[in-house]
Amino acid sequence: MIKEENTIIPGPALQILPWVIPALFISLWMIVSETGLIPTYLMPHPFEIAKAGWIYVFANPGDAPFAGRFLDDAGASLIRVAIGFGFAIIFGLPLGIMSGRLSLVQKLISTSINALRAVPGISWLPLAMIWFGIGIKTTVFLVAMAAFFPIYLNAAAGARQINPLLLQAGAMMGVNRLRGTFAILLPGAMPHIITGLRLGLGISWAYLVLGELTGVPNGLGAVIMDARMLGRIDIIVVGIIIIAVMGRAGDQLLKTSLKFCFKSARRMS
Amino acid sequence: MKPRLAAISKTSPRIRETILEINNLRKVFRINGSFLTVLDGIDFGVKSGEMICILGRSGCGKTTLLRMLAGFLAPSSGEILLNGKPVAKPGTDRCVVFQEDTLFPWLTVKENIAFGLRGRTTDRKAFDEEAERFLSLVGLSEFRDYLPREISGGMKQRVALARVLILKPEVLLMDEPFASLDAQTREEMQNLLLSLWENLSHTILFVTHDVTEAVTLADRVLVMSKDPGRIREEIHVDLARPRKWEKSDFLFFSRKLHERLRD
């Protein structure tokens, strides 16, 4: 793999670069809190947050409100995201690829899908609650609904923009339709597919919290909602930070595992 | 596998069976409601082991002709017979080397070359040996693990050549494959093609707009005219190989072809 060497900034400094903004942000926060510029009932001191976070993650359940709930909440949320995102992939990828290649399929479904796409995800919430009740099903439905569109659209774009000569070259080398799909079409569309999956996973987290705000007993969204009702702003911030970290880690995990599984993901991005 | 690869001796008499027959081929495109005849009355035969150049200026329909032979396009009328059977769709009996880069960017040089071989054999060792053999035939053994984006244009065309030669096609169709290469690389590639052709005795149809290339390569040159595309003249280039462009008999043929292209 050829990568352009960056000569302006030395290597070790590059490693630090991603952390500059978070570090600046926390410093600023510290200053603001220490000087009392912003009252603590609006934004608690970073140390307070750290303490609340510690209790939430590591303390024994029952010692204090929210103590030790982390594993339970994170686990519940992860399962919901995984199932919803999984459904989005199962429907979004094949439909997208077909719509990108087959004009009949495209004509048949693209208008409807684009109409559905125009509906803000939150409008599905009341309907989903009536259909599925409060709990995992509603959340999974919302996540799947939201993640479907970027996955579908990008897969379609990827399948559409593939160089037709690559498919012709395949046909001339005796590749049948099935093998052509897996050996040429999917790898050729891979950069777009990856974009779609990453966007889809990102939006999954957003709709996860939306689904969990409806009053489920556990999950990261539920924690934030509970904390709001109890006036525990520190726990709200802890929840936000945990979602940010898990979202970032999930994106990294997705990228890494795609690269691990597919040559095309390894070699074309 | 049929013994197609068995080298036909260069000294053997030149009378060979016709393997490809093109009869009264015609192609009409419909563009914005009006009809455009791109090719008309194309009639020729190709003998086994022959190297034919189709020479014409851009827009004369030579690429369209090649795409029909490959089976990517259906003729409007007329027929294409390979070993007496009509050509209907793309197949490994007629392989194409394209002008553009059509290697799979996610596969290494070796994987690209072996691509068409997948599914033909289950014997992994034979598969690997065959891939290595064709890698070395085009002189790319050291670059087996490179990706297409990491190699030069000339090397890419070597890969494009090897990945179809490995399938042992009856006819090799080449669509200005060296047109985008620099002069030195083009000459190298022409020599490589000639030596492969002499060793493997493929039947080759080579489309080009370059007179020197046609005289360098061809047994027979089909000169095409434009609007509609027809075969204006057939010229046998009976020069011994290797042919040098500065020799007088070479110049005689190139002058002759230049004239035919002009008027």
Side-chain angles (χ1 to χ4, degrees), chain A residues 22-248:
Chain A
L24 275 179
F25 178 75
I26 290 173
S27 318
L28 191 70
W29 185 4
M30 288 280 259
I31 294 166
V32 167
S33 302
E34 289 287 340
T35 54
L37 231 61
I38 295 179
T40 50
Y41 64 85
L42 288 182
M43 198 62 191
H45 193 284
F47 292 153
E48 293 293 312
I49 305 288
K51 213 173 95 194
W54 180 267
I55 290 171
Y56 175 62
V57 178
F58 295 110
N60 287 322
D63 286 0
F66 298 105
R69 272 183 62 177
F70 170 72
L71 273 184
D72 186 34
D73 289 329
S77 288
L78 268 179
I79 288 171
R80 290 168 195 153
V81 166
I83 298 175
F85 186 55
F87 272 116
I89 294 176
I90 290 171
F91 289 102
L93 262 189
L95 281 176
I97 295 285
M98 284 197 288
S99 159
R101 281 323 304 172
L102 308 167
S103 63
L104 265 180
V105 174
Q106 200 251 337
K107 283 221 163 67
L108 180 71
I109 65 176
S110 84
T111 306
S112 310
I113 285 182
N114 280 312
L116 283 181
R117 191 164 66 91
V119 178
I122 198 165
S123 335
W124 295 107
L125 185 59
L127 200 56
M129 284 172 71
I130 294 167
W131 285 348
F132 304 118
I134 290 167
I136 182 164
K137 282 189 205 157
T138 295
T139 315
V140 165
F141 172 78
L142 288 173
V143 168
M145 199 72 183
F148 170 82
F149 295 106
I151 294 174
Y152 165 85
L153 284 173
N154 282 283
R160 200 174 304 121
Q161 59 75 48
I162 199 166
N163 181 357
L165 283 173
L166 291 186
L167 297 170
Q168 284 185 357
M172 152 288 280
M173 288 189 280
V175 169
N176 62 22
R177 226 177 161 130
L178 185 69
R179 195 184 156 211
T181 305
F182 288 99
I184 302 174
L185 195 53
L186 284 180
M190 189 55 82
H192 282 79
I193 291 176
I194 292 174
T195 306
L197 291 177
R198 291 180 63 192
L199 288 171
L201 186 59
I203 205 160
S204 289
W205 286 101
Y207 281 83
L208 167 82
V209 174
L210 180 67
E212 289 180 345
L213 291 180
T214 55
V216 291
N218 54 10
L220 297 168
V223 163
I224 292 176
M225 212 53 195
D226 292 351
R228 188 194 70 88
M229 285 194 290
L230 295 173
R232 290 286 303 273
I233 189 167
D234 52 344
I235 294 290
I236 297 179
V237 177
V238 167
I240 289 172
I241 292 173
I242 288 175
I243 290 172
V245 170
M246 286 180 69
R248 177 72 181 81

Side-chain angles (χ1 to χ4, degrees), chain A residues 1-2 162-163 165-175 179 183-185 187-188 263-264 267-269, chain B residues 67 72 90-92 94-96 98 100 102-108 111 115-116 118 147 149-150 163-164 167:
Chain A
M1 180 103 164
I2 302 163
I162 199 166
N163 181 357
L165 283 173
L166 291 186
L167 297 170
Q168 284 185 357
M172 152 288 280
M173 288 189 280
V175 169
R179 195 184 156 211
I184 302 174
L185 195 53
K263 274 180 198 161
S264 49
R267 293 171 176 172
M268 290 208 302
S269 48
Chain B
R67 290 171 56 79
F72 296 141
T92 53
R94 293 152 285 123
C95 279
V96 185
F98 297 89
E100 301 87 352
T102 57
L103 302 180
F104 300 121
W106 57 88
L107 297 181
T108 62
E111 287 164 344
F115 184 86
R118 292 246 190 106
L147 292 175
R149 66 159 180 269
E150 296 164 339
R163 75 167 177 185
V164 295
L167 301 176

Side-chain angles (χ1 to χ4, degrees), chain B residues 158-179:
Chain B
R158 284 168 192 255
V159 179
L161 196 55
R163 75 167 177 185
V164 295
L165 288 178
I166 204 171
L167 301 176
K168 302 171 176 77
E170 303 253 358
V171 179
L172 194 55
L173 304 168
M174 306 186 74
D175 183 12
E176 305 200 42
F178 311 144

